C-alpha cells in the first residue's frame, strides 16, 4: 500500500483529494469550506459488517467462521462483507478514487467513525496515500483547521469498536438460542439490552410488591400583625417529627419508631383541639443559599433534558441534534466530555456579558471535570458551533420546530455554564401552640429568596419528579419578617390524608440517567438501547413511562437464575471499562475476548491464541467469568414452564405462552381450572388477584354464540382475547370456501392461484367501546366483521377511502394517509363528502383538535357546499370540503368575499388534479457476473499495518 502523505498543503498544490464523510447532509457545506481541489463524497454510514451465517459463501459455512462469522479459535478473526445495499456506493467511491491523488477519511470522530474509516480503507484498497481527518463542528474555521491536522487511523479505537462488535455477536448468538428453546422462538438477548430490560423489570417488581401506607398532615395559614400571611405545615407533635411519605418503606411499614404517625382521624382531632389556641413564632433560622449552574450538555444529559423540557424521546433528540450538527449549528452530539474549548469558553463568557451584564460573569472561566473515566466519544461538550455563538433570535429565521427548541436549549445551557452562581437566603420559621388537651404541636415553613439570579437569568435545569417530593415551590417564596415570640393568628387549619406511592417507572430520561450512573452504555448507544428493548417487545410506553412486558419478566428471570453474571450491573459496567482500556492501548483485544468466550483457562482444545496472555488487570470483567462458550449446549436444568410463570395470588398464576400471556387458576366455587388471555394494555403491577379473577370469570363462560351469518352459514361468536373483546366466525377444519370467499378469490390477482391454498382464516372485529360480549347483537357483529367499509373514491386521484377501527380508535384511510374519526359510530355513518372534507384539512397529530374556520362565507354557486376560509400549513385557503384554493397575497382572510372565494375555487377546479410526476426508471444492464472465490479478509494483516504506518 502507498506510503503516508506529507503534511497537506493548500488546494493550490495541484493535488486532487477525495474526502469521504458519513452523511450526505455534510457534503455541501464541507465541500464549500474546503474549496477547489477537494471532492467530497458520503459513505452513508457503515459499508461492511459481519454477515449472518446463512449469508456466508458456501465454502465457509462449515469452516471456523460458520457459527459467528468470527473465527474464535484463531485470534477472533472476523469475516466482513460489504452490505448488499452498499455495493453500489462502494463502486461509486472506487470510481471517484481513480481520479484522486490523496484520500481523506472524514468520518465521525468517535470509535464508530474510526471503525468506518478503517472499513473504507479495507473495502476501497486505495493505492494512494490516505489520512484521517476529524472535527467537532462543521464550520469554515473548524474544517479548514482539521484539513491541516490530518493523522493516521487510530488502531486502538478500531480495536475497541471491533471488540464491541464481536462481543455483541458472541453474546447474542450464544444466549439467544437459550431463549428460543426455553421462552419463545425469535427472541434475542444482548449484552446491554438485557441489563436495561432487567432494570425495568426490577422496578415493576417493586411496584407489584408495594403496599401503600396511609398518613395525614395538617396545613394552615398564619398571619403576623401588620405583615402578609403565609402557609405552614405541621412538623411535630409532642416533640416527635410528624411522619411523611419518605418515612415508610415499600411494605407500608415505618422505617423509624421515633416519628409521630398520624391518620386522618388523629389529624382532625388535633385541628379541633387548636380551634381556640394561641400561636406564636418559636424560632427563625436563616442560612445562605447558593446554586451552581449545570455543566454543558453531554449526550446523556441532552437526552434527559430534552425529554423533560421538550417531550422528545431519545431517538427524536438524536435525530434532531444530528441535523443541527450536520448543518453547522452545534458541535458533535455524541460525547461524554463536559469540557469546553478555550474558544467556546471565550464565546460563552462574551455572550453572557453582552446579554446579561458583566456582573453575571465570573472573573475566570468555569472548568468542569468529567466523571467518566474515559471520555472518549468526543473531545468537547455539546455547544453552539463557531467562534461566536449565534443566539436563538439570530437563528429563528433558519430553524423551525424541534430544531429551534433544541438549539435554544443547548445555547442556554452553554451560556449559563459560564455564569455566576445564583445566590440568596433560605429562611425557616417555626411556630407552635398547645391543643386543648395539652399536646404541644409545631408547624414550620421554609422559603428561599433569590437575591442574585446569576445563571438562572439564562437557564434552569429540569429535574425528574420523585415520589418523595415535598415542600416544592419553596424557592423564591418570601416569608414575612418575624422574630421569636411574635403572636400569630391561625385560620384554614385543614387535615389531609395521603397514601404513599410506589416507585415511579422509568422514563427514557431516568433510564438513561441510571444506565449512565451505573457505567453501562456509552453516548453512541443510549438511544439504540432504548429503541431495541421497545422494538423487541420487552417494554412498551404508557404515556412517557416504560412498562416491561410479561415476556420481559420471563426472559429476565431466566437470565437472573441461570446466567446471573451476564445481567449483573457491575459486570456489564466492567466490560465497558475494559473496552475503554482497549481503546487506550491498556488491554489487548484477543486476550480479552479469549477469556470472555472460553473462560480464564482459555480454549480447552488447543486452539491458537495469537495474542500474548497478559495477567488479569484490576477490574477485568472476564476474571470471574467461566466463559460463555456453549451456553445452549446443556439446558436440562432450566424449567421452561417455571421460568415463564409469575404467581399472582390465591392459586392464580400468569404464564408467558407461545401466543402471549395468559392466566391460569381455580374457579372460586367449583375448583375447576380456568384459563384466560391477558389483554396487552394491562401493566404487570395492575394484575391484582381481583383483576385476574375478573378475567378468568369473564372468559371462562366461553363464547357468546350470537347466531349464523346468513351469507356464509358460519356461527358468529363474541369472546374476550388478549387484545380485548371481539367477534369472530367459527370455521371448521378443511371447510370448503363459501360463496363470499369464492367471489373474493375470483377478484384476486391470478398469481395467487398458483400458490398452495392457505387455510381459511376467520374474520374478526374488535367490539366498540360501548359494546360488551354479553350484549352485542348478531347484526352489530356482522357489521364489525364487514370492516373495513368502503366510503367512496376520491374524485381527484381515484384513491379508495375506507373507514375502519384500529388500535388507536376509528379512522379513515386513503392510500397511506390516515385520518382519525371522532367516534366509532362514524365508521358506518360517514359519507364521502364528509370524508373528503376531513382530507381537505391539514393533517394533525393524533389527539389534536381541528382549528375552527377563520370565516364562513356561504354556499358555493357550483357545488352548493358551504365555503369557509381556513388557516392551513401554507397559509389561509378557501374550501368547500372537496376543493381547496390558496388565497393570493392580496386576499385578506378577514375581508375576502364569497364571490372571490368561489372564483378561486372555480380556477382550481378548471386546472384539474395535480399530476403525479412519474418516476424515471433506468433499465438495468444485464451482464454476466464473474464468479470468483470470496476472499476471507482478516481484520488487520501485518502487511496492512506496516503499510498504514509507513503511509
Amino acid at each position: 500500500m502507498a506510503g503516508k502523505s506529507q503534511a497537506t498543503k493548500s488546494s493550490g498544490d495541484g493535488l486532487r483529494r477525495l474526502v469521504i464523510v458519513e452523511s450526505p447532509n455534510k457534503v455541501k457545506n464541507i465541500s464549500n469550506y474546503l474549496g477547489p481541489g477537494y471532492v467530497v463524497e458520503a459513505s452513508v454510514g457503515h459499508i461492511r459488517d459481519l454477515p449472518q451465517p446463512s449469508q456466508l459463501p458456501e465454502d465457509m459455512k462449515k469452516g471456523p467462521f460458520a457459527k459467528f462469522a468470527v473465527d474464535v479459535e484463531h485470534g477472533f478473526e472476523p469475516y466482513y462483507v460489504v452490505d448488499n445495499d452498499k455495493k453500489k456506493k462502494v463502486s461509486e467511491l472506487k470510481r471517484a478514487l481513480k481520479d484522486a491523488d490523496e484520500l481523506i477519511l472524514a468520518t465521525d470522530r468517535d470509535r464508530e467513525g474510526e471503525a468506518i474509516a478503517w472499513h473504507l480503507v479495507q473495502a476501497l484498497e486505495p493505492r494512494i496515500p490516505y489520512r484521517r481527518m476529524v472535527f467537532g463542528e462543521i464550520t469554515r474555521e473548524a474544517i479548514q483547521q482539521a484539513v491541516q491536522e490530518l493523522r493516521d487511523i487510530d488502531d486502538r479505537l478500531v480495536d475497541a469498536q471491533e471488540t464491541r462488535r464481536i462481543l455483541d455477536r458472541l453474546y447474542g448468538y450464544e444466549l439467544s438460542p437459550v431463549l428460543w428453546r426455553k421462552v419463545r422462538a425469535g427472541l434475542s438477548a444482548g449484552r446491554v439490552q438485557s441489563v436495561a430490560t432487567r432494570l425495568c423489570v426490577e422496578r415493576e417488581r417493586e411496584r407489584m410488591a408495594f403496599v401503600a401506607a396511609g398518613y395525614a398532615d395538617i396545613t394552615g395559614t398564619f398571619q403576623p400583625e401588620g405583615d402578609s400571611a403565609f402557609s405552614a405545615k405541621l412538623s411535630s407533635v409532642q416533640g416527635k417529627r410528624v411522619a411523611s411519605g419518605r418515612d415508610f418503606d415499600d411494605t407500608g411499614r415505618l422505617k423509624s419508631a421515633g416519628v409521630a404517625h398520624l391518620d386522618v382521624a388523629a389529624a382532625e382531632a388535633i385541628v379541633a383541639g387548636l380551634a381556640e389556641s394561641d400561636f406564636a413564632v418559636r424560632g427563625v433560622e436563616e442560612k445562605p443559599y447558593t446554586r451552581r449552574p449545570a455543566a454543558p450538555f453531554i449526550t446523556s444529559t441532552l437526552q434527559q433534558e430534552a425529554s423533560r423540557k421538550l417531550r422528545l424521546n431519545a431517538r427524536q433528540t438524536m435525530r434532531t441534534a444530528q441535523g443541527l450538527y450536520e448543518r453547522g449549528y452545534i458541535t458533535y452530539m455524541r460525547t461524554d466530555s463536559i469540557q469546553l474549548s478555550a474558544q467556546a469558553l471565550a464565546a460563552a463568557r462574551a455572550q453572557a456579558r453582552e446579554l446579561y451584564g458583566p456582573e453575571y460573569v465570573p472573573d475566570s472561566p468555569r472548568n468542569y471535570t468529567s466523571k467518566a473515566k474515559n471520555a472518549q466519544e468526543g473531545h468537547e461538550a455539546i455547544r453552539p458551533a463557531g467562534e461566536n455563538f449565534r443566539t436563538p433570535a439570530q437563528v429563528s429565521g433558519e430553524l423551525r420546530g424541534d430544531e429551534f427548541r433544541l438549539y435554544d436549549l443547548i445555547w442556554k445551557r452553554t451560556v449559563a455554564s459560564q455564569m455566576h452562581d445564583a445566590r440568596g437566603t433560605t429562611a425557616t420559621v417555626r411556630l407552635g401552640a398547645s391543643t386543648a388537651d395539652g399536646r404541644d404541636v409545631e408547624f414550620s415553613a421554609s422559603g428561599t429568596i433569590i437575591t442574585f439570579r446569576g445563571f438562572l437569568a439564562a437557564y434552569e435545569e429540569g429535574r425528574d419528579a420523585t415520589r418523595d417530593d415535598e415542600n416544592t415551590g419553596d424557592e423564591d417564596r418570601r416569608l414575612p419578617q418575624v422574630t421569636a415570640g411574635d403572636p400569630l393568628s391561625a385560620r384554614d387549619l385543614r387535615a389531609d390524608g395521603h397514601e404513599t406511592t410506589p416507585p415511579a417507572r422509568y422514563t427514557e430520561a431516568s433510564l438513561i440517567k441510571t444506565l449512565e450512573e451505573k457505567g453501562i452504555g456509552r453516548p453512541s448507544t443510549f438511544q439504540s438501547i432504548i429503541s431495541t428493548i421497545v422494538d423487541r417487545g420487552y417494554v412498551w410506553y404508557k404515556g412517557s413511562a416504560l412498562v416491561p412486558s410479561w415476556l420481559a419478566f420471563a426472559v429476565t428471570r431466566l437470565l437472573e437464575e441461570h446466567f446471573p453474571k451476564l445481567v449483573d450491573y457491575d459486570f456489564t459496567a466492567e466490560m465497558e471499562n475494559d473496552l475503554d482500556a482497549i481503546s487506550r492501548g491498556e488491554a489487548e483485544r484477543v486476550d480479552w475476548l479469549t477469556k470472555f468466550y472460553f473462560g480464564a483457562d482459555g480454549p480447552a482444545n488447543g486452539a491458537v491464541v495469537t495474542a500474548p496472555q497478559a495477567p488479569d488487570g484490576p477490574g477485568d470483567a472476564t476474571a470471574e467469568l467461566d466463559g460463555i462458550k456453549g451456553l445452549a449446549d446443556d439446558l436440562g436444568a432450566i424449567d421452561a414452564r417455571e421460568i415463564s410463570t409469575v404467581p399472582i395470588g390465591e392459586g392464580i398464576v400468569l404464564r408467558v405462552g407461545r401466543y402471549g400471556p395468559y392466566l391460569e387458576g381455580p374457579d372460586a366455587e367449583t375448583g375447576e381450572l380456568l384459563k384466560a388471555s391477558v389483554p396487552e394494555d394491562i401493566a404487570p403491577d395492575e394484575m391484582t388477584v381481583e383483576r385476574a379473577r375478573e378475567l378468568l370469570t369473564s372468559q371462562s363462560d366461553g363464547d357468546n354464540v350470537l347466531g349464523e351469518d346468513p351469507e356464509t352459514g358460519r356461527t358468529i361468536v363474541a369472546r374476550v382475547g388478549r387484545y380485548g373483546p371481539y367477534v369472530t366466525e367459527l370455521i371448521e377444519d378443511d371447510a370448503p370456501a363459501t360463496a363470499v370467499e369464492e367471489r373474493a378469490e375470483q377478484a384476486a390477482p391470478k398469481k395467487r392461484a398458483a400458490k398452495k391454498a392457505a387455510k381459511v382464516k376467520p374474520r374478526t372485529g374488535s367490539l366498540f367501546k360501548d359494546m360488551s360480549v354479553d350484549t352485542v347483537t348478531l347484526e352489530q357483529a356482522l357489521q364489525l366483521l364487514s370492516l373495513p367499509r368502503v366510503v367512496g373514491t376520491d374524485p381527484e386521484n381515484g384513491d379508495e377511502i375506507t373507514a375502519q377501527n384500529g388500535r388507536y380508535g376509528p379512522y379513515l384511510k386513503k392510500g397511506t394517509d390516515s385520518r382519525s374519526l371522532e367516534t366509532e359510530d362514524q365508521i358506518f355513518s360517514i359519507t364521502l363528502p364528509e370524508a373528503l372534507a376531513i382530507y381537505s384539512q391539514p393533517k394533525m397529530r393524533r389527539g389534536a383538535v381541528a382549528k375552527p374556520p377563520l370565516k364562513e362565507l356561504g354556499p358555493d354557486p357550483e357545488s352548493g357546499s358551504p365555503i369557509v376560509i381556513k388557516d392551513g400549513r401554507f397559509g389561509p385557503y378557501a374550501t368547500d370540503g372537496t376543493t381547496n384554493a390558496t388565497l393570493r397575497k392580496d386576499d385578506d382572510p378577514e375581508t375576502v368575499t364569497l364571490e372571490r372565494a368561489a372564483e378561486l375555487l372555480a380556477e382550481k377546479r378548471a386546472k384539474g388534479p395535480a399530476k403525479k410526476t412519474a418516476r424515471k426508471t433506468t433499465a438495468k444492464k444485464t451482464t454476466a457476473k464473474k464468479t470468483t472465490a470470496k476472499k476471507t479478509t482478516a481484520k488487520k494483516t501485518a502487511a496492512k499495518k506496516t503499510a498504514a504506518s509507513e503511509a
Side-chain angles (χ1 to χ4, degrees), residues 433-695:
S434 295
T435 62
D437 58 4
R439 284 182 292 172
D440 182 76
V441 298
E442 191 167 277
F443 288 69
S444 65
S446 295
T448 298
I449 302 301
I450 304 295
T451 57
F452 176 70
R453 290 187 58 76
F455 75 92
L456 292 176
Y459 174 82
E460 182 172 3
E461 186 179 26
R463 58 190 293 269
D464 296 317
T466 68
R467 55 177 171 165
D468 292 330
D469 281 349
E470 293 185 9
N471 299 323
T472 55
D474 286 347
E475 189 167 291
D476 228 10
R477 176 192 182 194
R478 187 178 296 276
L479 295 176
Q481 294 292 325
V482 293
T483 58
D486 286 354
L488 300 167
S489 61
R491 68 173 188 270
D492 300 332
L493 290 175
R494 186 180 72 249
D496 294 309
H498 306 279
E499 275 197 346
T500 54
T501 57
R505 291 189 179 99
Y506 285 108
T507 62
E508 286 196 359
S510 59
L511 182 58
I512 289 171
K513 182 179 181 181
T514 301
L515 289 170
E516 183 185 31
E517 289 172 347
K518 292 182 178 293
I520 298 169
R522 289 297 182 260
S524 59
T525 64
F526 290 131
Q527 173 206 326
S528 62
I529 291 169
I530 292 176
S531 297
T532 298
I533 64 176
V534 171
D535 294 343
R536 294 182 178 173
Y538 292 133
V539 302
W540 50 281
Y541 289 101
K542 188 172 185 178
S544 61
L546 296 171
V547 183
S549 63
W550 291 111
L551 178 63
F553 273 70
V555 170
T556 299
R557 182 178 175 186
L558 185 151
L559 296 176
E560 286 175 334
E561 293 185 5
H562 296 277
F563 310 103
K565 196 71 176 176
L566 297 182
V567 286
D568 180 80
Y569 302 131
D570 293 337
F571 173 76
T572 306
E574 283 299 334
M575 281 199 288
E576 296 284 4
N577 292 335
D578 290 346
L579 292 172
D580 292 344
I582 292 172
S583 74
R584 298 190 298 266
E586 299 170 5
E588 207 285 325
R589 78 175 189 93
V590 176
D591 175 47
W592 192 89
L593 285 169
T594 299
K595 287 186 286 184
F596 176 80
Y597 186 67
F598 292 106
D601 296 334
N605 59 354
V608 178
V609 179
T610 59
Q613 295 294 309
D616 294 339
D620 185 354
T622 63
E624 300 177 12
L625 185 66
D626 194 28
I628 66 167
K629 182 178 185 295
L631 284 181
D633 292 348
D634 183 12
L635 303 180
I638 301 177
D639 185 337
R641 184 177 178 84
E642 182 62 24
I643 284 293
S644 298
T645 299
V646 181
I648 301 300
E650 297 183 8
I652 303 173
V653 296
L654 182 143
R655 302 193 193 281
V656 180
R658 181 179 177 187
Y659 301 107
Y662 65 94
L663 291 167
E664 194 174 79
D667 185 281
E669 296 180 0
T670 66
E672 177 189 356
L673 186 65
L674 305 177
K675 292 185 179 182
S677 298
V678 177
E680 288 200 336
D681 60 351
I682 297 180
D685 75 327
E686 297 170 0
M687 185 55 72
T688 60
V689 172
E690 293 75 20
R691 188 68 184 274
R693 279 261 176 247
E694 180 185 332
L695 290 170

Side-chain angles (χ1 to χ4, degrees), residues 301-317:
T301 54
L302 177 64
Q303 291 170 342
Q304 292 166 43
E305 194 74 339
S307 175
R308 297 183 192 112
K309 291 194 170 182
L310 308 183
R311 297 294 183 264
L312 298 179
N313 62 36
R315 184 179 298 181
Q316 292 170 322
T317 299

Side-chain angles (χ1 to χ4, degrees), residues 151-446:
R151 61 168 173 80
D152 294 333
I153 292 175
D154 190 330
D155 284 344
R156 298 177 304 175
L157 295 180
V158 176
D159 274 348
Q161 182 62 25
E162 185 169 76
T163 304
R164 181 187 295 272
R165 183 69 187 94
I166 294 173
L167 171 63
D168 290 341
R169 172 60 63 95
L170 299 178
Y171 189 111
Y173 276 38
E174 284 287 1
L175 207 53
S176 294
V178 180
L179 305 184
W180 303 343
R181 291 166 61 180
K182 295 298 181 178
V183 182
R184 185 187 298 175
L187 297 179
S188 69
R191 177 176 56 87
V192 180
Q193 79 177 52
S194 298
V195 173
T197 302
R198 182 190 174 198
L199 281 169
C200 295
V201 169
E202 284 189 337
R203 180 59 56 85
E204 197 70 12
R205 287 172 181 162
E206 293 172 6
R207 291 174 62 88
M208 293 168 72
F210 176 78
V211 178
Y215 64 98
D217 59 20
I218 301 173
T219 56
T221 302
F222 300 89
Q223 177 90 46
E225 292 182 8
D227 211 329
S228 58
F230 63 97
S231 61
K233 181 184 289 187
L234 181 68
S235 57
S236 69
V237 176
Q238 290 292 84
K240 286 188 175 182
R241 182 173 60 83
V242 174
S244 64
R246 68 186 65 193
D247 292 305
F248 297 87
D249 63 21
D250 286 348
T251 65
R253 292 192 294 254
L254 276 172
K255 300 176 186 176
S256 171
V259 295
H261 179 198
L262 301 181
D263 58 18
V264 174
E268 288 177 343
I270 292 175
V271 170
L274 292 171
E276 305 296 330
S277 299
D278 295 324
F279 284 84
V281 176
R282 292 184 175 177
V284 178
E285 180 184 355
E286 290 190 355
K287 57 183 179 180
Y289 169 87
T290 302
R291 185 173 171 187
R292 292 173 55 84
F297 280 130
I298 58 176
T299 304
S300 61
T301 54
L302 177 64
Q303 291 170 342
Q304 292 166 43
E305 194 74 339
S307 175
R308 297 183 192 112
K309 291 194 170 182
L310 308 183
R311 297 294 183 264
L312 298 179
N313 62 36
R315 184 179 298 181
Q316 292 170 322
T317 299
M318 295 311 292
R319 182 175 62 242
T320 305
Q322 179 90 27
L324 290 173
Y325 164 66
E326 290 174 347
R327 293 166 61 193
Y329 287 98
I330 64 171
T331 53
Y332 191 55
M333 65 288 161
R334 294 189 182 94
T335 175
D336 52 13
S337 170
I338 56 177
Q339 297 179 350
L340 293 175
S341 65
Q343 166 188 302
L345 288 172
R349 288 168 57 80
Q351 204 151 65
R353 191 179 295 111
E354 176 186 348
L355 295 174
Y356 302 104
E359 68 276 14
Y360 280 83
V361 182
D363 295 335
S364 58
R366 285 184 180 272
N367 290 304
Y368 297 87
T369 304
S370 176
K371 296 179 182 178
K373 181 180 178 182
N374 191 49
Q376 51 80 30
E377 300 289 359
H379 303 294
E380 194 175 1
I382 304 169
R383 62 167 177 84
E387 295 181 358
N388 298 295
F389 299 163
R390 287 174 285 181
T391 65
Q394 290 172 324
V395 300
S396 60
E398 306 165 20
L399 300 177
R400 291 286 185 275
D402 291 343
E403 284 191 330
F404 176 79
R405 295 195 299 151
L406 193 63
Y407 180 86
D408 180 67
L409 196 67
I410 293 169
W411 178 87
K412 287 177 177 176
R413 176 92 162 212
T414 306
V415 171
S417 74
Q418 292 304 310
M419 296 173 67
H420 264 305
D421 296 344
R423 297 190 297 272
T425 303
T426 296
T428 301
V429 176
R430 292 183 297 108
L431 52 122
S434 295
T435 62
D437 58 4
R439 284 182 292 172
D440 182 76
V441 298
E442 191 167 277
F443 288 69
S444 65
S446 295

Side-chain angles (χ1 to χ4, degrees), residues 16-20 37-42 92-106 124 128 131:
R16 294 167 296 179
R17 296 178 174 87
L18 174 63
V19 181
I20 301 180
Y38 294 88
V39 175
V40 184
E41 297 285 349
E92 291 173 356
L93 293 175
K94 283 185 175 181
R95 285 195 296 271
L97 194 61
K98 290 179 180 179
D99 299 326
D101 299 307
E102 185 178 28
L103 172 62
I104 298 177
L105 302 157
L124 299 179
I128 57 175
R131 301 297 304 280

Side-chain angles (χ1 to χ4, degrees), residues 49-56 61 66-69 81 165 169 173:
D49 196 7
L50 298 173
Q52 301 289 333
S54 60
Q55 298 171 326
L56 288 168
K61 288 184 177 179
K67 186 173 182 180
F68 306 112
V81 297
R165 183 69 187 94
R169 172 60 63 95
Y173 276 38

